[in-house]
Each structure stands twice: as C-alpha cells, then as structure tokens.
Amino acid sequence: MQRIGFIAFPDFQVMTFAAVSVFEIANVTGNAPLYDLHFLSEHGGSVRTSLGLTMDTEPFGDAPFDTLIAGGGLEPVESTPGLIEYVRAAPTIARRVAAICTGAFVLAEAGLLDGRRATTHWGFARQLQAQFPKVRVEEDRIFIIDGPIWTSAGMTAGIDLALAMVEKDHGAALARSVARKLVVYHRRAGGQSQFSALLELEPKSDRIQVALDYAKRNLHTALSVEQLAEAAHLSPRQFSRAFRSETGQSPAKAVEHLRVEAARLMMESSRHPIDVVASETGFADRERMRRAFLRAFGQPPQAIRRNAQIEGVPLLTT
C-alpha cells in the first residue's frame, strides 16, 4: 500500500484537496486497498481551511511516504520556516513530491522547482515566474511532471494530477474507472491548456475584445494580424503590442488556442473526418492541426476522439 501525505496549512483552499477523492475511490474500486491517506501539518491537530472548516492532521515527522502533496490557498501565502524545511527535505522521504495550485509557491520557496518545469493556477503563473526566476513556469498547462516533481494548475486540476498518478501506479483501466465514478473526464492530458486562461483573457480595451470576437467568428479563415488589427481599428504594430500587453499572449498564440479548442469540440462531438475538422477550424491541413493538438493537449486528434468515445460523449451525425 502506498502512503500518500497531504500537506495542509492554515487557510488552505478545500478544492485543492479534491484530489483526495481520487485515491479514496481508487481504494474502493481496486481489488485491495491501494493508498494509505494521511493529512499533515507543521504542528498537527486542527487546521482551519479558507471556508472556516477544520481538519485533523498529523504533525510533520520523518515517516516515509510514497507521495507528498502540498495543497494551495486562494492566493499564495507566506510559508513558515517549519513548512519550508519539511518540504525541502521531502525528496529524501518520498518517491514523488507534488503541489496543487498555489502549492507550487511552497515547492519553489523550498528550492524543489529550481531548474524544473512547473505550472500553477493561471492567475498566479506570472507571479511565480517573477518571484522564482529559476523555475521554468509553463502557465498554460493542466499539470506537469518533471522527474519526481509534479505540479498542477488550480482547483479541479488537482483531480487530473491525481488520476495521472493512479494511472501511472496501477494502469489506465483503474484510472478510467475512478474517473467514471467521480463523473469527471478521464483524463485531461497534462499538456492540455488551462482553457480558463483563454476564457479569462479579459482585455482592458474594447478594441482588443472586438478583435477576439472577430477571431472566434472567423476561425475558418486565415486570420492574419493585419485582419485582426483592422477589426480593432489599429495598425498591425499597435495591435500586436496592445494585444500582448492586455492578454499576455501574442495574437498568433491566442488564435491557435481558439482553433484547437474549436477543433477539439468537433473531434469529440462529431463524426467529421480530420481533414474536415482541420479545414473548418482554420488549420491549413491535418498535419498542422496534429502538431497544434500535441502542443495544446499532449495528444493527437485521434486520441482525443478515441477518449471521447470511450467516455461516451455523444457524437453528432450532421
């Protein structure tokens, strides 16, 4: 049985510990108990969550764990020296160390993310990068595995991370069964974009919003910077500078995200051939769409469709 330790601290956000349910259901679904779950904190005893609920915890110690997972808060919080000391030593007592959401800040402060790829909630990714420049932050990923260190995006992305752990430990069939019992998608690939980031671009000016709306309505066309700039009533140079300043992305990157999301929805919900999907969503050909899917989801289009069929997503025939 693998010992899983969840590291809590005052005002941690309850949703980040939704991953616990993955291991709980894996125990129920497996032929035998697979995971031994422990909740840890610096001093043990009751720890208050951001909702005001309390949770009983065990104090930090030298006991070995297979996996240690740090939860996150509604925003990054200042870590105590005891917490940082325990996390810094975590690789010596655990096979893998993980963080959910802003828990990545704890791992980064302890030095575990230096030189490694990592992600966190999209709303705090740039802060993580600025505060810890040695970390290779990838702000648009659901979760990232870099050696023994795992990090995930915010909130429900912890479920994806935990499902990936179950799959790695005990196979895809069990992970898929757990996902079905939890009524969640099995499973968003670690390389998949945090689409919340795209939905929450929230440009400051109406002009950039108009350009985004124009792009969404015209994905089937080439959508050059010049076209988007014209929709925004700006010169191409002004538009590119304003777009990146307001959204944090280049126009080309944002358009690619829009295209792959639209293509993913078509792959999951229709029987259209890949060539048709590529054409309808503005990719020049299926190979370019395949490369874009690999960048965004870590999977080719065929795998996305196959997973949707396994999960029972209804296909449209028209």
Side-chain angles (χ1 to χ4, degrees):
M1 187 183 301
Q2 294 166 256
R3 284 166 52 87
I4 308 290
F6 290 88
I7 301 172
F9 48 82
D11 294 322
F12 76 87
Q13 211 283 324
V14 176
M15 178 60 78
T16 66
F17 279 81
V20 175
S21 295
V22 172
F23 300 108
E24 176 190 15
I25 300 304
N27 282 341
V28 173
T29 305
N31 294 326
L34 303 174
Y35 297 103
D36 180 20
L37 307 177
H38 296 260
F39 296 91
L40 312 171
S41 68
E42 184 173 355
H43 303 294
S46 295
V47 175
R48 184 183 176 89
T49 73
S50 60
L51 280 175
L53 304 172
T54 59
M55 182 178 71
D56 288 334
T57 64
E58 307 168 25
F60 294 158
D62 298 326
F65 286 89
D66 176 79
T67 303
L68 284 170
I69 303 175
L74 291 173
E75 58 184 23
V77 297
E78 185 175 351
S79 301
T80 65
L83 174 60
I84 295 304
E85 182 182 358
Y86 184 73
V87 172
R88 184 174 292 128
T92 67
I93 62 171
R95 175 174 64 94
R96 61 190 172 197
V97 182
I100 297 171
C101 194
T102 57
F105 283 78
V106 179
L107 268 58
E109 189 173 352
L112 299 191
L113 300 184
D114 287 356
R116 295 187 183 275
R117 298 166 55 242
T119 193
T120 187
H121 190 290
W122 62 267
F124 299 104
R126 294 180 198 176
Q127 179 181 341
L128 180 66
Q129 185 66 85
Q131 194 169 336
F132 301 101
K134 292 182 180 179
V135 182
R136 295 159 55 194
V137 178
E138 297 186 15
E139 64 182 84
D140 198 22
R141 291 293 178 261
I142 295 296
F143 64 86
I144 288 176
I145 306 170
D146 191 329
I149 308 298
W150 300 47
T151 53
S152 83
M155 303 299 181
T156 59
I159 296 174
D160 298 283
L161 179 141
L163 284 170
M165 288 182 173
V166 171
E167 180 173 325
K168 201 167 191 66
D169 295 341
H170 301 287
L174 178 62
R176 184 174 296 115
S177 179
V178 171
R180 285 175 175 169
K181 284 185 169 60
L182 291 173
V183 197
V184 297
Y185 181 78
H186 175 73
R187 67 176 162 75
R188 292 183 293 180
Q192 181 169 326
S193 297
Q194 296 181 40
F195 291 111
S196 301
L198 196 58
L199 296 173
E200 298 293 338
L201 284 171
E202 294 184 351
K204 299 179 180 65
S205 68
D206 290 340
R207 288 184 172 185
I208 301 303
Q209 184 61 61
V210 167
L212 282 171
D213 292 340
Y214 175 86
K216 292 175 185 178
R217 294 194 307 269
N218 294 277
L219 288 178
H220 61 285
T221 67
L223 285 178
S224 65
V225 170
E226 288 74 17
Q227 286 177 285
L228 296 175
E230 184 178 351
H233 301 292
L234 294 169
S235 72
R237 184 176 179 181
Q238 288 175 317
F239 172 75
S240 294
R241 185 164 54 243
F243 192 96
R244 185 180 289 277
S245 174
E246 294 187 27
T247 68
Q249 298 184 29
S250 68
K253 189 68 173 178
V255 167
E256 180 173 292
H257 278 307
L258 290 170
R259 291 194 199 283
V260 294
E261 175 63 357
R264 181 186 68 84
L265 291 173
M266 287 188 69
M267 291 296 298
E268 289 183 339
S269 62
S270 77
R271 300 182 185 276
H272 294 310
I274 293 178
D275 289 334
V276 172
V277 175
S279 176
E280 288 292 318
T281 53
F283 291 103
D285 53 54
R286 61 188 295 162
E287 177 56 25
R288 292 191 184 182
M289 187 175 82
R290 187 188 72 83
R291 292 198 298 267
F293 265 59
L294 290 174
R295 285 192 294 271
F297 306 119
Q299 296 178 311
Q302 296 92 330
I304 298 292
R305 173 165 284 173
R306 183 167 58 251
N307 289 339
Q309 292 171 345
I310 291 172
E311 297 298 323
V313 176
L315 297 180
L316 302 178
T317 56
T318 59

